[in-house]
Structure formats: structure tokens, C-alpha cells
Amino acid sequence: MQLAYQSYIQKYGKRFLFYLSCCLPFACSDDIGNRIEGQWQLKTIEENGIVSPVDTIFYSFMRERVFSCTLLLNPDESYIWYGYIDALSDQQMQLSLDWNNYYTTTGKVESEGGSQQRIFDILHLGGNYLTLFSNDITYSFKKH
């Protein structure tokens, strides 16, 4: 019995270890850029102890560099702002948004909002939940 087990290990053990070593780096990737990528729906905003529900704002993070913010007003009307992720670490994210230009369902619109740079502390990022903090406001998101 023991000889059969050793033969099995010799025959398939090396192959198993090879496959495991090839797949493990992808399965265990804990890179912040990979975890934050995608579309996140803002669920609540907490300011001064008051929690307000939100369901019409989406943040999208693409390829660790591009950022967008979408505001849905109704099924036929939305506003989209684009920006860049200037810095990203496990603790913080720095975003630049161009408030001068936004896009609607009818096309590009210019306003006088100016460009803004925001720094968010990343309080939690795990599974389908993201919590950001900036200027005494906590933003809670769910992956969409």
C-alpha cells in the first residue's frame, strides 16, 4: 500500500506542485489596484454622525489611472465627470477631477466648476465593500 502511495505522489505530486506554483500568484494577488478596479455604487454618506442613504452615484476605477464619477438623475439623464488617480496606496487615494467638463446624455458640457484634487483615506477595502474618508465625511460603497 505504501509503495502505491509513494508511486502516486512521485507521478502526480510534481505536476500538482507545478500547477499550484503557476496559479498561486494570481490567486493571492493583493494589489490595491486590482482590488479597487471596477464600478462602485455609493450607498451612504456619513457626516457629523448623520448617515444619509445614496443610490444614484457611482465611482469607477479603471487600470489604476482613470477615474469617473457618474450621477444618475433619472433613467434618461445622467452626468459623468472624468479624472485621474494621481496616487494610490493601501492607505490613501489621490484623485484629480475636471469639474470644468462633464458629459450628459446629450454631449459634453462646460461649466465653471474648476479642477479639484481630493485625497481619500481608504478605511476599508474588502470583497464587495469600500469605505473612503475625506474632509470629515465617510463614503461607503458596494461593488456594482
Side-chain angles (χ1 to χ4, degrees), residues 96-111:
S96 292
L97 270 178
D98 184 6
W99 293 106
N100 285 325
N101 299 303
Y102 61 92
Y103 297 82
T104 66
T105 51
T106 58
K108 184 177 175 181
V109 179
E110 293 188 21
S111 67

Side-chain angles (χ1 to χ4, degrees), residues 32-40 61-64 143:
I32 185 79
N34 290 332
R35 291 187 297 146
I36 203 162
E37 183 150 332
Q39 188 175 55
W40 297 85
F61 303 97
M62 298 161 271
R63 295 188 176 119
E64 300 180 39
K143 190 131 191 186

